[in-house]
Amino acid sequence: MNLVVYILKKDVMYDFLLDIKNKFETYVPIKKDITRFKILDNPKDIDFSENSYFPVKEHFFRKKEVIFQFNGSNFLPVELKSKNKIFFGLRRCDLNAIKNQDFIFMKQHNDPYYTSQRKKAVLIGYHCTKALNKYCFCESMNLTDYYDLMLFDKTNYFLVDAKTEKGENLIRKYKKYFKKSNYKISDKDTYIKTRKINKKDISKFYDHKDWDKGINLCLSCSACTEMCPTCYCHEIHDNTEINNPRNAKRIRSWSSCQLKEFTSVAENHTFRDTKEARFKHRIYHQLQYFKERNKINLCTGCGRCITGCPTKIDWVKIINEMR
Ligand code: SF4
Ligand code: SF4
């Protein structure tokens, strides 16, 4: 496939967005109290100054998903409806998080609910020009190029790198906004200096006393996993209607390894009974266990689990200070 770099002028970007929003449900970062991905109304509302407080994960791996229904005699499949969507302005860490969730829900498992949403989405990135805040550590996480189109901000214009057929097709369809360029995206364009994790392997630090700095502040509230773009723990429940108990729905909903009940089983047994076990499990799963099994860093270094933590537990700093 012949992949080309294009130029999109900034004033033209507004017209391009107004045009695509007629065909696609278009989500862009908008800053009000916090920055969130919202459906595009006025392109001038777009704000690239910070990353979205919440990731876009819920558009694909939805908070609550009805898997099937039961009407007393038959199982009724749910209709998998999805819209053509464009996500405009995703950061490299979040694109890699989608890559990891694609791996989990589309390669490791063939999840029709996730796949039906994901297949209809076009991912357009906005490459950071610097670390967005003091908690980012993507430089340590070996991120790769995973997008349909990526915008590189060159002050008055964007260089637009097309990485997939989906991205090329979009440019072909809206070609009046784009000009071909001979520019080759290099490491100079993609390198972003962030803080780093100074340990490649944290396995021998499992019993280190410094974990207490985090554990003692942890409220087991699960905000960190809720906000994490890669966390994928969930539960499955059968819900019946109180007035008509023969009708039922099987529902998958987000859960969290930070909640004690997540590992509770019969006979009042809980596998990760202590806050210490749950706290360490999250970090070790993100940095180590998933990588050992799949050769992929699950964590993408976005830092949201720290910015969103009510007690601001900076577990990267804790790891870096372990001796
Ligand atoms: S957000 Fe912070 S306090 Fe809440 S469970 Fe996660 S680490 Fe603990
Ligand atoms: S573990 Fe934290 S830093 Fe890593 S991807 Fe999840 S939210 Fe981002």
Side-chain angles (χ1 to χ4, degrees):
M1 194 176 146
N2 187 22
L3 297 173
V4 187
V5 174
Y6 298 86
I7 289 173
L8 172 66
K9 289 200 171 147
K10 285 206 173 161
D11 47 349
V12 173
M13 175 187 84
Y14 296 128
D15 298 329
F16 167 62
L17 286 165
L18 285 172
D19 208 350
I20 57 173
K21 103 185 197 19
N22 294 322
K23 288 262 160 46
F24 297 84
E25 201 168 270
T26 304
Y27 290 83
V28 297
I30 292 175
K31 190 172 176 181
K32 288 274 160 53
D33 49 338
I34 52 171
T35 302
R36 296 167 192 263
F37 273 89
K38 289 191 164 178
I39 292 186
L40 174 70
D41 179 24
N42 180 353
K44 301 227 157 132
D45 291 340
I46 294 181
D47 193 318
F48 290 127
S49 61
E50 55 189 40
N51 197 5
S52 165
Y53 193 72
F54 297 104
V56 298
K57 152 172 103 167
E58 66 179 314
H59 287 274
F60 311 128
F61 169 41
R62 294 189 290 195
K63 282 194 170 189
K64 266 194 193 329
E65 184 87 62
V66 178
I67 297 175
F68 62 78
Q69 302 187 53
F70 183 68
N71 66 3
S73 355
N74 294 305
F75 293 105
L76 311 170
V78 290
E79 201 188 329
L80 297 174
K81 286 191 209 141
S82 56
K83 292 183 179 159
N84 288 317
K85 293 182 184 174
I86 287 184
F87 294 90
F88 187 89
L90 294 163
R91 304 299 172 135
R92 196 175 174 83
C93 53
D94 288 346
L95 288 156
N96 274 258
I98 295 172
K99 174 182 160 205
N100 292 348
Q101 293 227 322
D102 284 357
F103 173 77
I104 294 155
F105 289 110
M106 290 170 33
K107 288 208 175 93
Q108 269 193 330
H109 306 280
N110 182 11
D111 184 281
Y113 313 98
Y114 180 95
T115 306
S116 66
Q117 300 302 322
R118 182 60 188 91
K119 289 267 174 197
K120 294 266 198 106
V122 183
L123 308 179
I124 303 182
Y126 172 86
H127 205 285
C128 296
T129 50
K130 58 179 179 16
L132 283 176
N133 61 57
K134 62 179 183 179
Y135 297 124
C136 301
F137 54 97
C138 64
E139 203 186 328
S140 285
M141 303 322 290
N142 298 322
L143 304 187
T144 61
D145 292 343
Y146 198 75
Y147 46 78
D148 296 309
L149 298 174
M150 175 65 95
L151 272 55
F152 293 86
D153 199 329
K154 299 291 171 190
T155 315
N156 294 325
Y157 65 93
F158 294 110
L159 285 171
V160 184
D161 186 32
K163 196 52 87 193
T164 64
E165 198 67 54
K166 221 187 225 179
E168 277 286 350
N169 284 343
L170 191 79
I171 287 188
R172 228 170 276 138
K173 201 162 159 192
Y174 295 93
K175 59 177 183 247
K176 65 178 176 187
Y177 302 110
F178 296 88
K179 221 173 100 194
K180 273 190 188 169
S181 152
N182 292 325
Y183 193 90
K184 296 262 175 299
I185 303 293
S186 70
D187 292 351
K188 229 171 80 200
D189 301 293
T190 57
Y191 175 69
I192 299 295
K193 187 170 173 46
T194 67
R195 69 171 174 161
K196 293 186 191 163
I197 297 187
N198 67 7
K199 296 176 182 59
K200 284 223 160 13
D201 181 354
I202 56 167
S203 49
K204 66 172 189 251
F205 294 93
Y206 192 88
D207 293 319
H208 200 288
K209 61 174 178 30
D210 283 6
W211 285 116
D212 287 347
K213 295 181 192 167
I215 294 159
N216 291 340
L217 286 175
C218 180
L219 309 169
S220 291
C221 68
S222 81
C224 47
T225 53
E226 184 91 357
M227 294 179 70
C228 175
T230 65
C231 280
Y232 57 95
C233 287
H234 54 268
E235 295 174 347
I236 293 181
H237 292 288
D238 290 340
N239 284 10
T240 50
E241 289 174 19
I242 197 110
N243 297 327
N244 190 355
R246 286 172 64 79
N247 282 353
K249 284 180 182 155
R250 181 159 292 180
I251 296 172
R252 174 174 79 189
S253 48
W254 287 9
S255 189
S256 171
C257 61
Q258 297 310 288
L259 303 174
K260 190 170 176 179
E261 54 270 32
F262 185 65
T263 56
S264 293
V265 292
E267 290 290 332
N268 215 14
H269 180 72
T270 301
F271 286 96
R272 283 191 288 273
D273 198 24
T274 61
K275 194 164 62 173
E276 176 184 351
R278 294 192 294 277
F279 185 87
K280 288 181 182 173
H281 178 80
R282 177 171 74 85
I283 313 294
Y284 274 82
H285 185 231
Q286 285 285 348
L287 291 188
Q288 194 122 352
Y289 304 152
F290 192 87
K291 190 163 65 179
E292 280 164 8
R293 283 204 302 271
N294 304 304
K295 314 270 177 278
I296 301 168
N297 283 316
L298 182 59
C299 175
T300 61
C302 72
R304 275 194 191 87
C305 55
I306 306 168
T307 49
C309 171
T311 56
K312 291 278 179 296
I313 300 171
D314 187 350
W315 56 269
V316 174
K317 185 164 178 267
I318 293 173
I319 290 175
N320 284 349
E321 286 174 356
M322 284 176 182
R323 297 284 176 267

